[in-house]
Amino acid sequence: MIKRIAYMAALAVLLTGCFEKKEEKQPTAAPQQLLTVSGVTVQTQDVDLSFEYTGKAQGSKETEVRARVGGILLKRNYTEGSAVQAGQVLFEIDPEPYKIAMDKAKAQLDQQQADLKAAEKQYERVKTLGEKGFSSSKAQDDAEARVLSTRASINVAKAAYEDAKLNYKYTKVTAPISGITSMEVHSEGSLISTAGENSLLTTITQFDPIYAVFSMSDNELFKLVDMVKKGYVRNPRGTDEVRAKIELTEGSVYEKEGIINFINPMVDKDTGTLKLRAVFENPKQQIIPGQFLRVSLEGLTRQNAIVLPKTAVMQGANGSFVYVVGADGKVAARPVVTGYTTKQGDWIIDEGLQAGETVVLDNFVKIKPGMPVNVKLQETAQSDQPVQSAEATEE
């Protein structure tokens, strides 16, 4: 009996040890691992806007020099392609026929003036005789009418003389503006007329200042105007002046800065664009009319802008959205409105985000709204750092 009791006790101890070992071997549930995502805490900053377009150089003044009287072209007094000054005599047309016409008109005027003196004296005599009763009223009326008629003839003769003088003056063709001349149209000895293209002698183009003409879509312009009204965009100079820069075809940037001095109020119905014009100083004639240019508009700043990498902005059925991480560490989808993009390719967010919010930058395939995540924050550009430049690129 004693042996049996000892055996049972030993068996109980052995079984207890086995159960304890089994319990020790049972694995415990591991804590849930949170997905780690990269994120950025967005901050507001001012971003310089830059709108780039393809343009074409145009002379600030382009004037056709035409003959105002016909005749033989006797002389050209300038070198083709050279600079000329306003008022400089460029061409001489045979003046002799016009000199003769002027002299003839002057002689006719002198004759009319002499006739007027004779008519006035005759009228005075007839009037005196009439007062003494030796001349009829009709004779007096006829003498007075002769005076008035001669005075009218003098006015006609004066006009003819002035016209003849003007034609004689026009035989010397002068430059209406200062600028650079084109290739000659007619050589010396040619018969020039005042009709059609035969009257064209040369063209003068003013290079300084020079214009850069380009087009902007109406939607883009109206959007910019709307952003100005909302206070998103302003001119740091506090004026309505919009600055412009030119990139030449070889890639260099023109040293002079221009300003926009004209916006066409009418939209081109065929292209849906508006013409704009920037004016630049061009003292060294580095820019030539007809030259293709890359024009960038500057001087506007997007205030309090939130900038995000393009990879952080996704497209859904209802438009653009980003993933934000709330204070509870969970992901939520947030609709946003994008605006322009920076030259670095980042989006400027117009609506949908506030400074201080955290936006997810990667792992979009693995995350979904409501999921808790671990955020690894990246460095962000602060508002006191140099501003970026932005292109006129829309979503």
Side-chain angles (χ1 to χ4, degrees):
M1 177 63 85
I2 293 173
K3 289 182 179 180
R4 181 175 293 179
I5 293 171
Y7 174 76
M8 295 296 291
L11 182 60
V13 171
L14 180 62
L15 291 173
T16 302
C18 290
F19 282 122
E20 288 177 354
K21 287 181 180 180
K22 287 182 179 180
E23 289 179 359
E24 289 177 359
K25 291 180 180 179
Q26 287 180 354
T28 58
Q32 184 178 2
Q33 296 261 340
L34 295 180
L35 176 67
T36 298
V37 297
S38 298
V40 61
T41 301
V42 296
Q43 302 292 340
T44 60
Q45 58 183 301
D46 288 349
V47 179
D48 285 343
L49 298 177
S50 177
F51 305 86
E52 295 187 354
Y53 307 93
T54 299
K56 196 173 184 181
Q58 176 182 303
S60 53
K61 290 183 180 178
E62 296 181 354
T63 303
E64 293 180 338
V65 180
R66 293 183 177 272
R68 303 177 74 170
V69 293
I72 300 298
L73 183 62
L74 295 182
K75 193 175 182 182
R76 172 168 53 83
N77 297 319
Y78 69 96
T79 302
E80 296 171 279
S82 64
V84 296
Q85 299 299 316
Q88 178 180 336
V89 177
L90 304 181
F91 301 94
E92 295 181 25
I93 296 172
D94 184 9
E96 288 304 316
Y98 300 98
K99 176 72 165 55
I100 293 171
M102 182 178 66
D103 292 342
K104 181 179 179 181
K106 181 63 169 65
Q108 290 175 340
L109 175 60
D110 292 341
Q111 179 64 51
Q112 293 296 331
Q113 290 174 336
D115 290 345
L116 177 60
K117 290 182 180 180
E120 289 175 339
K121 288 181 179 180
Q122 177 65 20
Y123 173 65
E124 290 298 328
R125 284 195 294 268
V126 173
K127 185 178 178 182
T128 301
L129 292 174
E131 291 173 353
K132 296 179 180 180
F134 297 114
S135 175
S136 65
S137 297
K138 182 179 182 309
Q140 294 181 55
D141 292 341
D142 291 343
E144 183 179 11
R146 220 169 8 253
V147 170
L148 296 175
S149 176
T150 306
R151 286 176 180 171
S153 298
I154 286 178
N155 289 335
V156 173
K158 281 183 178 179
Y161 176 55
E162 293 298 326
D163 183 60
K165 282 201 304 182
L166 199 57
N167 287 335
Y168 178 69
K169 178 183 176 182
Y170 286 157
T171 60
K172 293 184 183 298
V173 182
T174 59
I177 63 170
S178 299
I180 308 299
T181 57
S182 67
M183 184 183 297
E184 71 172 2
V185 179
H186 301 287
S187 59
E188 295 171 342
S190 300
L191 178 62
I192 305 301
S193 71
T194 58
E197 290 304 311
N198 198 37
S199 65
L200 180 62
L201 301 176
T202 190
T203 301
I204 300 176
T205 303
Q206 191 173 66
F207 281 43
D208 184 25
I210 199 161
Y211 292 148
V213 180
F214 58 96
S215 297
M216 176 189 288
S217 72
D218 54 352
N219 288 335
E220 187 176 353
L221 181 61
F222 296 152
K223 176 182 177 180
L224 181 59
V225 171
D226 182 61
M227 294 182 73
V228 172
K229 290 180 179 179
K230 290 179 178 179
Y232 290 162
V233 174
R234 67 178 176 85
N235 188 333
R237 296 184 177 185
T239 66
D240 293 333
E241 182 180 286
V242 178
R243 294 177 285 118
K245 288 186 178 180
I246 285 178
E247 182 180 322
L248 304 177
T249 51
E250 69 275 12
S252 62
V253 177
Y254 182 57
E255 58 185 6
K256 300 287 186 180
E257 191 177 78
I259 60 171
I260 301 300
N261 70 340
F262 176 76
I263 300 177
N264 196 334
M266 302 295 292
V267 177
D268 188 313
K269 62 181 181 180
D270 296 324
T271 62
T273 60
L274 293 97
K275 289 281 188 183
L276 290 88
R277 186 179 69 196
V279 58
F280 295 82
E281 294 180 11
N282 190 30
K284 299 179 183 178
Q285 300 176 16
Q286 293 172 265
I287 304 174
I288 302 173
Q291 181 178 356
F292 285 98
L293 309 165
R294 190 71 179 168
V295 184
S296 62
L297 306 187
E298 300 183 350
L300 296 174
T301 298
R302 173 66 168 86
Q303 298 186 99
N304 301 320
I306 291 177
V307 179
L308 283 178
K310 273 198 170 180
T311 53
V313 181
M314 289 158 287
Q315 299 298 318
N318 297 320
S320 302
F321 70 96
V322 298
Y323 283 120
V324 297
V325 179
D328 57 0
K330 295 182 179 180
V331 174
R334 178 75 60 78
V336 294
V337 176
T338 57
Y340 300 116
T341 61
T342 68
K343 284 188 175 180
Q344 292 75 25
D346 298 332
W347 279 120
I348 296 177
I349 306 300
D350 286 343
E351 297 177 13
L353 289 176
Q354 299 293 327
E357 292 189 294
T358 300
V359 177
V360 179
L361 300 178
D362 58 15
N363 278 327
F364 302 116
V365 176
K366 299 178 181 179
I367 61 177
K368 60 182 179 180
M371 174 188 291
V373 293
N374 179 40
V375 182
K376 183 180 180 182
L377 292 176
Q378 296 186 357
E379 293 184 2
T380 59
Q382 301 299 320
S383 58
D384 58 349
Q385 293 182 344
V387 297
Q388 306 172 56
S389 296
E391 302 177 336
T393 305
E394 299 183 28
E395 180 184 358

